Amino acid sequence: MRRLFPSPFSPADLDDREWGLDELADLYAYPAGLPAGTAWLRANMVSSLDGAAHHEGRSQPLSSAADMRIFGTLRGLADAVVVGAETVRQEGYRPARAREAFAARRAALGQGPAPVIAVVSAGLDLDFSLPLFTEPLVPTVVLTGADAPAERVAAARAAGAEVLVAGEGPGVDVARVPGLLAGRGLTRLLTEGGPRLLGQFAAAGVLDEMCLSLAPVVATGTAPRIMAGPPLAVPERFALGSVLEDGGFLFTRYRRV
């Protein structure tokens, strides 16, 4: 892995080597000193050269070993991982695990042993018998609307999940999600999509940072882009923060201007 941007501090930065988890954690550290009651929402997605967000329904075929190291680092830094219900179903989500490599860093920041998984779902069409709900280190959170089916809300709570209302009707007002989670002390947020949820976050103006892995592959097909939501009246500008390269993959990080 090589750092291409910001400009290398030394010739050694251009050496193709495996970065340590501490180095990656320093590079991807969340901003310090956020205003009280606010959260920083970061997204992490992978895309093929032709813009596919997944191949045959899963992101794994577009990934690599270095991509998974960054994926693990971003999870290791987060208070909560926010994900849509469809992605939970397609990707077979499990509870986040505690990792020794991040234990001291998390303890120093007052974080729990592993990030909370926060699932955004209007209809709560989820299998609450899965380990994501029955075996997490920290209780899974489900964000839904006030008019969500009462029996599904009861099933979620019976499985051990914490249900938060993030909308007045049947659906979720995604603009409320960061504030609701910040109110529980979860201010370092990571969303892994899918494309519909990520597009909604962007359209609501609450996406602070985009970590995009560009895979050197072409997928074609009908897979969606990494964001699939309502159009913005004016495209929102992001500034490049960093670029790493490994085996032809580009690992980019952009922050909202």
Side-chain angles (χ1 to χ4, degrees):
M1 183 177 287
R2 303 177 298 149
R3 186 174 66 179
L4 305 182
F5 183 85
S7 300
F9 294 129
S10 71
D13 285 343
L14 288 173
D15 291 344
D16 192 2
R17 61 182 178 83
E18 184 175 285
W19 278 42
L21 292 178
D22 281 340
E23 291 177 287
L24 289 173
D26 288 342
L27 179 68
Y28 285 99
Y30 280 82
L34 292 175
T38 63
W40 183 270
L41 179 60
R42 154 189 289 168
N44 181 39
M45 296 289 280
V46 63
S47 169
S48 67
L49 291 177
D50 55 322
H54 55 67
H55 181 65
E56 297 184 340
R58 302 198 66 209
S59 58
Q60 191 279 331
L62 305 181
S63 188
S64 69
D67 182 50
M68 293 308 297
R69 282 177 67 80
I70 292 174
F71 171 90
T73 298
L74 295 181
R75 279 200 165 196
L77 297 174
D79 293 330
V81 177
V82 187
V83 64
E86 183 62 20
T87 298
V88 167
R89 290 188 289 265
Q90 289 195 357
E91 299 280 356
Y93 262 59
R94 297 185 61 82
R97 59 190 177 92
R99 298 185 60 188
E100 183 60 34
F102 299 101
R105 187 182 293 260
R106 293 184 69 86
L109 292 172
Q111 295 174 294
V116 171
I117 303 295
V119 184
V120 177
S121 176
L124 301 182
D125 182 18
L126 298 160
D127 183 351
F128 294 116
S129 69
L130 293 176
L132 175 62
F133 302 101
T134 61
E135 300 177 11
L137 278 175
V138 287
T140 295
V141 169
V142 177
L143 297 128
T144 192
D147 294 340
E151 70 278 6
R152 300 304 298 162
V153 172
R157 288 176 171 149
E162 179 179 356
V163 179
L164 298 180
V165 175
E168 299 306 323
V172 174
D173 178 1
V174 298
R176 294 173 56 176
V177 169
L180 275 173
L181 294 175
R184 297 183 69 259
L186 306 173
T187 61
R188 303 171 187 90
L189 306 181
L190 169 68
T191 180
E192 297 169 351
R196 183 170 174 270
L197 178 61
L198 185 51
Q200 290 174 332
F201 278 136
V206 295
L207 181 65
D208 298 298
E209 183 176 333
M210 182 73 228
C211 297
L212 175 63
S213 299
L214 185 62
V217 300
V218 171
T220 72
T222 60
R225 302 186 305 178
I226 62 167
M227 295 190 196
L232 295 172
V234 178
E236 192 161 28
R237 187 65 182 264
F238 282 66
L240 183 63
S242 64
V243 181
L244 303 176
E245 184 274 336
D246 183 88
F249 282 77
L250 294 178
F251 304 104
T252 68
R253 182 170 55 92
Y254 291 86
R255 290 185 173 182
R256 184 172 51 174
V257 174

